[in-house]
Amino acid sequence: MAKSKKKGKSTVKERVRVLIQGARIQKRIRELAKEIRRDFPDEQLHLVSVLKGGVFFLTDLARKIPGEVSFDFIAVSSYGENTHSSGQVRLTRDLDSSIEGRTVIVVEDILDTGMTLQYLLRLFQQRNPKHLRVAVLLDKPGRRIAAVQADYVGFSIPNEFVVGYGLDYSERYRNLPYVGVLMLGGEAQEQAPKK
Ligand code: PRP
């Protein structure tokens, strides 16, 4: 059990309540991988993941999709304190290769307000892929601002701040093999707590 690190201030107990066990995540990813391959039986699939959180999902998904798969990475950041709700998303690292004429699957750990995905879909559509689809491990439909949706969804979850399996709180917890709800002082958080 970790405690907050602020010196000289009262410490708030911080813990993670398991929401989705690692084995359930892996089982669901196997199903998604089959579904994706069924939809594109003869295509080479080009998986594009968004750094950093999406990487865990991408590597597990890529290993479970039969047939030819390649991948690439992109990074974005959001202006303002309130990460995504400002809607100002900016490209910080572009893909290495062209996606023109390719069957592209955008692979994201979480679909929250949808601002990141809306930005990415607009960007990628301009580059003329043959197909453009979206796979997300977690979907928080209750938080949506942008009118976007995923084609493949692992789990739909409530409005609680989740960590693990790529998702972080101040860069911590990404390495947990499961997804959990961050609890501060016994309370679940709806958004990233102020540091
Ligand atoms: C997370 C996640 C998505 C985005 C979704 O990334 O990986 O890219 O937020 O949020 P949205 O639907 O509200 O736009 P984050 O900015 O936390 O970066 P990280 O992957 O490096 O942790």
Side-chain angles (χ1 to χ4, degrees), residues 47-188:
L47 308 186
V48 170
S49 183
V50 187
L51 296 170
K52 307 172 190 162
V55 169
F56 289 70
F57 182 33
L58 174 123
T59 57
D60 281 338
L61 188 65
R63 282 175 289 184
K64 290 177 171 76
I65 296 177
E68 267 195 64
V69 170
S70 54
F71 48 78
D72 203 347
F73 300 94
I74 196 165
V76 294
S77 77
S78 308
Y79 295 111
E81 265 221 347
N82 194 1
T83 49
H84 304 279
S85 50
S86 66
Q88 307 278 330
V89 182
R90 166 173 76 93
L91 188 66
T92 56
R93 181 208 187 274
D94 205 345
L95 299 172
D96 285 337
S97 56
S98 165
I99 57 167
E100 191 172 346
R102 301 175 96 164
T103 297
V104 175
I105 315 278
V106 179
V107 178
E108 269 278 44
D109 50 352
I110 189 163
L111 177 53
D112 192 351
T113 66
M115 301 309 291
T116 308
L117 188 58
Q118 183 179 59
Y119 172 84
L120 291 173
L121 289 177
R122 283 182 183 155
L123 182 75
F124 293 157
Q125 207 70 68
Q126 291 165 8
R127 299 180 180 185
N128 299 318
K130 183 175 178 190
H131 302 103
L132 182 59
R133 299 288 186 273
V134 177
V136 300
L137 183 71
L138 306 172
D139 186 11
K140 271 189 189 174
R143 292 249 312 155
R144 200 78 87 251
I145 294 172
V148 289
Q149 58 184 41
D151 303 285
Y152 308 96
V153 175
F155 303 91
S156 209
I157 60 167
N159 291 350
E160 290 176 322
F161 187 74
V162 283
V163 295
Y165 198 76
L167 294 150
D168 74 306
Y169 169 43
S170 271
E171 295 301 322
R172 293 157 54 219
Y173 299 119
R174 288 194 199 273
N175 58 326
L176 296 178
Y178 55 85
V179 170
V181 176
L182 185 71
M183 310 285 289
L184 287 186
E187 304 269 334

